[in-house]
Amino acid sequence: MSKRWLLLTIASLLVLTGCALVSGTARILHTAISITPTPTLVPTPTTAPVTSGVVDTEEQIIINVYKKAAPSVVNITTRILQWDFFFGVYPEEGAGSGFVYDKEGHIVTNYHVIEGAQSIEVSLGEDIVVPAKVVGADPPNDLAVLKVEVPPDKLVPVELGSSSNLQVGQRAIAIGNPFGRFERTLTVGVISALNRTLKLEGGRMIRHLIQTDAAINPGNSGGPLLDSHGRVIGVNTAIVSPSRASAGVGFAIPVDTVKRVVPELIAYGRYRHPWLGILGYSITPGFAKRLGLPVEEGILVAKVYRNSPAAKAGIRGARKELIIGNRTVLVGGDIITAIDGHPLKSVDELDAYLEDNTRVGQEVELELIRRGKTIKIKAVLEEEPRQ
Amino acid sequence: MKRMSLIVLLVILSLTLMACQLEFSFPKLLQAGKSAPTAPATAVTEERPVVKPTPTPKRIVVAGKVLDAEEEQLLVSIYERVNPSVVNIRVTKKVKLGEEFRFPNIVPELPFATPPEEFFQEGVGSGFVWDEEGHIVTNYHVVEGADEVEVTFYNGDSTLASVVGTDPDSDVAVIKVDELPQGVHPVDLGDSDQVKVGQRAIAIGNPFGLQGTMTVGIISGLGRVLRPGTTQFSIPEVIQTDAAINPGNSGGPLLDSQGRVIGINTAIKSPVRASAGVGFAVPINLVKKVVPSLIERGYYEYPWLGIRGMSVTRAIAEEFDLPVKRGALVIEVIRDSPADKAGLQGAKKEVKFRGEPLGIGGDIIIAIDGQEVRKFEDLLVYLVRNTTVGQEVTLTVIRDGEEKEIKVKLGKRPKVIKE
């Protein structure tokens, strides 16, 4: 019960901070059920084109998308060693989906599909089942890149689209491995909404998600969401449902995030998240009133990490503690109100700006209020340290 | 860093939260609990271009994006046009402790460990703008018992609304806001009599609190009878759809491919509280009758006959050797009801049919005003569609093997019928 309490409270806090969030955690789609590896189904080669008149234009569009994109979609089986008090160490299998990224054999999937896996197998169809190794992973964006050693002629990379100009109502087509048993399953729906923010199991926040009513189920994770041209617009990642099955509310990581993160995962094995190095409070009108702050929104800096970009730039953290109720608030630090001219309402907005718009090594300009005066400070972003 | 700042936030701001405790309660049907405002969806156009399934070329350029074929473009423009008319409704109910449940006192170090005397329950539904005066139509079960109704428009503007009128029998309610934001217009109403199975059905609403969600499917069935659970009466001619309808979609519009409202998404059939592809919408033609009365008087009066009964089926007809194989079998006539005054007769004896008690020997209604009654719902449909309180109807009944005509002056349907 206390966990639920905490969750609800966090949700309501986030409401207060003005952050757009769907309360309750979304379900990640990894199938952790033990299943027998399914025999690789060979996608039957479609012979003659269907004569017009039998199939209408809409149907033909979907058929074309499947023909184009299905060969790029792979089936991922993982083996995770679990420990149990009675049985000791035992292997558990998981299943997910992924897609071929390039001719070198890079496969894109969700991080949660391969998280903790001892061994990974990728099925490319046509009886090609090969072991895969993890090239790089970015847990905050729930993305991972695998590599398989397969001759280039057996690899059909996907065509990447763009997620910046999608529209609600547009067709959304998923190909994946629902329930870990039905590989290259096609499900079709529309884009139901855009720019959703979800908190996934484990507390990870994911932004800019595409919402779709195409049936997304456990095992679909890591598979592509396609537009009506068969171009990847997202990576199917999560659902909201009280059961562990599709309720018509599925979410995909936008392909623009994939385009930003995957090249770095291939090059460095990790995504270098830009980092400023502060801890702060999101200011709300009530909070501002209690503390007598000059602004009703922004970030009150509580702590600046030593040697961080913020410290080097001279940003100041709290100078004293204040007791409000029975809690301690760290006050007296700088108030950050804008970055590169973009007004900031909350810590979340700062995180989002850094993640979406900046790179490591980039210089950002922060607008601060210090002792009632507005000043501008430049900071050079560094890579977020791993704890 | 992110997690730490979140925890810091949690601790600091927990004080400010005392007034509002979100708790997930699921009173009935599709009300969603514990949700938070979500990001406004896509930009929406100000004007309302009339959307027709225009004979479009195969490739259309919208905002620099090439879209294939007419269907896709049609859905995009329906969303752009109708989404501004759809609202998110959040209701707060004061609940005295003991009525619901008590939080266990297990986190004594936190300031909220002491439960307050009363707390607030929240529910979320959908609704749509009915007219320029600010009337908004939703489900009765969304606003039932609400102490506060808050409406959030597509652009994030939110305002308090008052409940203007409710009709539990059709599960329809009208609420009102003082002013509509700019660019928010009433929906276009369709004709639910013209709806056909297989035709496209589009829902816009707030499933699981996700405002501005569009889900698309087809009309799966027509003429369903739905009993809302808040009343003893059933809703006739309910539309069934496979568009994903989930908790929070309640009260939102179901649209045809012209973007016109053909129903109000009201209920689902599912073993879990989530879409299984079987959703139900109250037909707009019933809503069109009810809503003007709710706006004018706050309630809707249904004509009333005053009988309970069931449909005659082939099995029942054969088992008990009934003279007809179709019709409405009267089991009970409510005392002092119009049917009672007109002399209709209920069951004379109780028998067992397939293990269940069944009252037989009563009148079998085979027609009303000359219209054939094949099943019990036909009576309900006829009364709701074609009659008003005080009107006289002629029932054709079979009594003791003989056909007979009985005139009944319809009364006013009571709120509750005593058992």
Side-chain angles (χ1 to χ4, degrees):
Chain A
M1 182 54 77
S2 70
K3 204 174 165 190
R4 186 182 187 189
W5 228 137
L6 192 72
L7 224 127
L8 290 172
T9 316
I10 289 174
S12 22
L13 281 175
L14 288 161
V15 179
L16 289 179
T17 61
C19 138
L21 173 86
V22 181
S23 74
T25 49
R27 249 162 244 272
I28 273 173
L29 296 176
H30 189 50
T31 47
I33 41 163
S34 287
I35 48 153
T36 43
T38 42
T40 315
L41 292 172
V42 180
T44 31
T46 343
T47 45
V50 189
T51 46
S52 61
V54 180
V55 174
D56 75 4
T57 325
E58 297 303 326
E59 278 180 320
Q60 195 57 54
I61 290 169
I62 306 288
I63 291 167
N64 293 346
V65 167
Y66 189 75
K67 276 189 200 161
K68 175 180 170 185
S72 310
V73 181
V74 305
N75 199 4
I76 298 172
T77 313
T78 60
R79 190 170 284 253
I80 301 167
L81 291 182
Q82 298 280 5
W83 188 85
D84 185 275
F85 182 80
F86 294 103
F87 300 105
V89 174
Y90 65 97
E92 192 180 70
E93 282 194 343
S97 308
F99 55 87
V100 177
Y101 183 76
D102 57 25
K103 285 278 189 189
E104 279 94 71
H106 291 112
I107 308 279
V108 173
T109 185
N110 279 134
Y111 168 67
H112 76 258
V113 167
I114 53 99
E115 186 178 7
Q118 260 78 24
S119 66
I120 302 168
E121 266 186 358
V122 168
S123 155
L124 292 139
E126 293 180 27
D127 297 323
I128 305 176
V129 182
V130 287
K133 63 179 205 299
V134 178
V135 168
D138 182 40
N141 282 307
D142 203 358
L143 287 173
V145 175
L146 313 179
K147 192 163 190 296
V148 291
E149 300 303 331
V150 172
D153 62 310
K154 300 280 184 196
L155 293 165
V156 186
V158 293
E159 185 187 345
L160 296 179
S162 163
S163 50
S164 60
N165 49 15
L166 299 175
Q167 308 208 33
V168 177
Q170 200 180 315
R171 203 178 283 106
I173 301 153
I175 304 179
N177 184 25
F179 303 109
R181 293 174 59 187
F182 307 104
E183 64 175 33
R184 292 180 181 166
T185 295
L186 174 80
T187 50
V188 180
V190 296
I191 293 178
S192 295
L194 292 164
N195 212 17
R196 297 296 196 199
T197 300
L198 281 184
K199 194 173 69 180
L200 300 181
E201 280 166 9
R204 291 198 284 262
M205 297 272 285
I206 299 205
R207 299 183 189 83
H208 310 308
L209 292 172
I210 302 165
Q211 186 188 333
T212 180
D213 67 354
I216 306 290
N217 280 297
N220 270 107
S221 270
L225 189 70
L226 307 157
D227 66 10
S228 49
H229 292 264
R231 296 177 297 215
V232 177
I233 53 172
V235 179
N236 299 316
T237 300
I239 57 175
V240 169
S241 173
S243 65
R244 286 193 53 87
S246 169
V249 182
F251 299 92
I253 294 167
V255 75
D256 289 357
T257 304
V258 174
K259 288 198 227 168
R260 178 164 55 84
V261 171
V262 166
E264 286 217 17
L265 292 185
I266 292 173
Y268 308 105
R270 63 181 196 278
Y271 183 71
R272 299 177 303 158
H273 291 272
W275 181 64
L276 195 57
I278 59 151
L279 269 183
Y281 307 109
S282 298
I283 299 170
T284 60
F287 186 76
K289 207 173 147 193
R290 275 164 200 267
L291 297 182
L293 300 179
V295 287
E296 291 198 330
E297 50 193 39
I299 298 159
L300 176 62
V301 179
K303 195 183 163 194
V304 176
Y305 286 99
R306 198 170 299 157
N307 293 326
S308 70
K312 288 170 193 163
I315 295 172
R316 296 178 191 173
R319 286 175 298 148
K320 58 180 178 182
E321 294 182 352
L322 202 68
I323 309 285
I324 293 182
N326 57 355
R327 306 311 306 192
T328 305
V329 188
L330 300 167
V331 300
D334 290 340
I335 295 169
I336 303 175
T337 54
I339 182 165
D340 291 342
H342 296 267
L344 293 175
K345 287 180 186 158
S346 62
V347 175
D348 190 64
E349 285 191 6
L350 174 62
D351 288 346
Y353 183 85
L354 291 177
E355 176 71 23
D356 297 343
N357 300 307
T358 68
R359 293 294 174 102
V360 169
Q362 189 176 324
E363 187 181 74
V364 292
E365 188 185 62
L366 297 163
E367 203 174 277
L368 306 175
I369 300 178
R370 179 181 293 169
R371 296 205 194 97
K373 285 203 186 86
T374 302
I375 56 168
K376 282 179 179 169
I377 276 185
K378 285 186 163 62
V380 179
L381 300 172
E382 294 171 17
E383 183 179 353
E384 183 172 15
R386 275 166 285 179
Q387 292 313 310
Chain B
M1 185 205 111
K2 287 166 194 166
R3 190 172 304 164
M4 275 198 72
S5 59
L6 202 75
I7 291 167
V8 173
L9 256 169
L10 162 73
V11 170
I12 296 309
L13 293 182
S14 57
L15 279 172
T16 62
L17 269 167
M18 290 299 86
C20 173
Q21 302 180 352
L22 301 185
E23 186 40 46
F24 188 59
S25 92
F26 232 123
K28 51 191 69 74
L29 298 176
L30 295 178
Q31 221 160 339
K34 55 163 185 178
S35 90
T38 50
T42 40
V44 196
T45 48
E46 285 275 75
E47 314 93 13
R48 302 192 302 146
V50 180
V51 178
K52 283 189 192 126
T54 37
T56 40
K58 288 287 292 265
R59 291 165 91 85
I60 308 158
V61 178
V62 181
K65 168 102 181 85
V66 181
L67 295 172
D68 247 350
E70 44 206 82
E71 158 135 1
E72 199 161 30
Q73 180 48 40
L74 182 73
L75 293 173
V76 169
S77 50
I78 286 175
Y79 184 80
E80 285 182 348
R81 180 166 61 110
V82 184
N83 186 45
S85 306
V86 182
V87 304
N88 176 4
I89 297 174
R90 177 183 296 254
V91 299
T92 315
K93 296 173 196 181
K94 246 186 256 177
V95 179
K96 286 254 166 59
L97 270 191
E99 285 178 17
E100 286 299 308
F101 75 98
R102 220 171 256 277
F103 281 111
N105 206 352
I106 51 166
V107 272
E109 73 279 9
L110 293 177
F112 43 70
T114 316
E117 283 301 302
E118 51 182 24
F119 63 94
F120 297 87
Q121 271 189 343
E122 285 205 2
V124 176
S126 307
F128 55 89
V129 176
W130 182 264
D131 59 25
E132 298 282 359
E133 279 89 67
H135 290 109
I136 290 165
V137 172
T138 183
N139 274 137
Y140 167 68
H141 76 260
V142 168
V143 298
E144 183 188 8
D147 287 298
E148 198 174 278
V149 180
E150 191 187 358
V151 168
T152 306
F153 291 93
Y154 80 105
N155 59 2
D157 284 6
S158 70
T159 179
L160 289 181
S162 54
V163 177
V164 170
T166 59
D167 178 35
D169 289 2
S170 63
D171 203 355
V172 171
V174 176
I175 60 176
K176 189 175 185 302
V177 297
D178 289 338
E179 210 179 333
L180 295 174
Q182 242 189 338
V184 172
H185 299 284
V187 293
D188 289 335
L189 299 181
D191 180 355
S192 48
D193 288 347
Q194 301 302 317
V195 168
K196 294 196 169 59
V197 175
Q199 139 182 4
R200 204 181 284 104
I202 302 148
I204 301 180
N206 192 26
F208 304 112
L210 295 157
Q211 182 162 11
T213 291
M214 177 194 234
T215 49
V216 179
I218 55 165
I219 306 282
S220 305
L222 293 166
R224 306 295 186 207
V225 176
L226 187 73
R227 176 95 172 264
T230 49
T231 151
Q232 293 171 304
F233 300 96
S234 300
I235 309 171
E237 299 183 286
V238 167
I239 299 166
Q240 184 188 333
T241 180
D242 70 350
I245 307 289
N246 279 296
N249 270 111
S250 270
L254 189 70
L255 310 165
D256 65 11
S257 50
Q258 323 267 316
R260 295 174 306 208
V261 180
I262 51 173
I264 302 178
N265 299 315
T266 299
I268 57 173
K269 181 83 182 149
S270 173
V272 289
R273 290 197 181 280
S275 169
V278 183
F280 299 99
V282 174
I284 199 68
N285 289 7
L286 174 59
V287 178
K288 283 186 210 165
K289 287 179 84 123
V290 170
V291 166
S293 171
L294 294 186
I295 291 173
E296 203 181 311
R297 292 189 287 271
Y299 59 89
Y300 181 71
E301 270 184 1
Y302 289 86
W304 187 53
L305 205 50
I307 55 168
R308 283 205 182 95
M310 61 182 294
S311 300
V312 174
T313 62
R314 183 172 289 276
I316 290 173
E318 280 169 9
E319 177 85 18
F320 301 105
D321 198 20
L322 300 180
V324 287
K325 296 206 163 31
R326 296 265 187 192
L329 175 65
V330 181
I331 293 173
E332 188 193 348
V333 177
I334 311 296
R335 189 180 302 170
D336 298 329
S337 71
D340 191 22
K341 287 171 192 158
L344 253 79
Q345 292 179 5
K348 294 198 177 68
K349 60 175 177 180
E350 195 175 283
V351 293
K352 285 266 181 194
F353 178 67
R354 292 178 183 169
E356 296 289 321
L358 172 69
I360 59 160
D363 294 339
I364 299 169
I365 302 170
I366 56 165
I368 180 166
D369 287 345
Q371 289 237 15
E372 193 187 4
V373 174
R374 293 164 67 84
K375 46 190 193 298
F376 200 83
E377 293 91 85
D378 293 349
L379 275 177
L380 178 69
V381 171
Y382 184 84
L383 290 176
V384 170
R385 283 181 78 108
N386 305 313
T387 67
T388 51
V389 175
Q391 187 177 324
E392 192 179 76
V393 293
T394 305
L395 300 176
T396 311
V397 305
I398 308 245
R399 181 182 293 169
D400 305 324
E402 274 170 42
E403 201 171 302
K404 211 173 144 121
E405 291 210 334
I406 297 176
K407 286 193 192 311
V408 184
K409 187 164 180 254
L410 296 171
K412 190 174 81 180
R413 190 192 273 184
K415 276 213 177 81
V416 183
I417 302 170
K418 288 187 207 94
E419 295 295 334

